[in-house]
Amino acid sequence: MNEFVDQLHDVFERFGRVSMRRMFGGYGVYHEGRMFGLVTGDRLYLKADPHSVAAFEAKQLAPFEYMRQGKPARLSYYEAPPEVFEDRDAAAVWARRAWEAVLRAPPPKRRSRATRKA
């Protein structure tokens, strides 16, 4: 892991235990086995949904976008505000906001063994 990703354990200490898994050239940030954040480069993005997106937009935080088949695609993750790295209480608030978005979302679909082998 890199130094930026390693510091997230401390950043989110007041929220709870987090873990990171390498994925797609970045890292997924997990709590209780479910992803609530992602890291690409030295940028942290947190899960958002219709209930929480206004908080991200009010701070003019950018959504996570990537190119898929030559077109921009957007995931429901927004850049974390800078205060997340400066204030552990603020980090816990933003992590809880992202975690609540995860909990409101339908659980991820499990792929069957036949699908995994294909």
Side-chain angles (χ1 to χ4, degrees), residues 59-106:
K59 291 190 158 280
Q60 300 178 332
L61 298 166
F64 175 73
E65 294 182 330
Y66 67 101
M67 295 301 285
R68 182 167 79 197
Q69 298 176 348
K71 297 178 186 175
R74 191 179 277 189
L75 294 179
S76 59
Y77 289 82
Y78 279 72
E79 191 164 0
E83 61 262 26
V84 162
F85 300 100
E86 300 158 6
D87 179 343
R88 298 297 187 248
D89 291 328
V93 168
W94 283 92
R96 266 189 233 97
R97 184 174 285 138
W99 181 244
E100 288 167 1
V102 168
L103 295 177
R104 285 188 292 265

Side-chain angles (χ1 to χ4, degrees), residues 24-41:
F24 309 117
Y27 293 86
V29 184
Y30 292 80
H31 176 68
E32 296 183 6
R34 294 184 65 186
M35 191 169 122
F36 75 98
L38 66 89
V39 174
T40 180

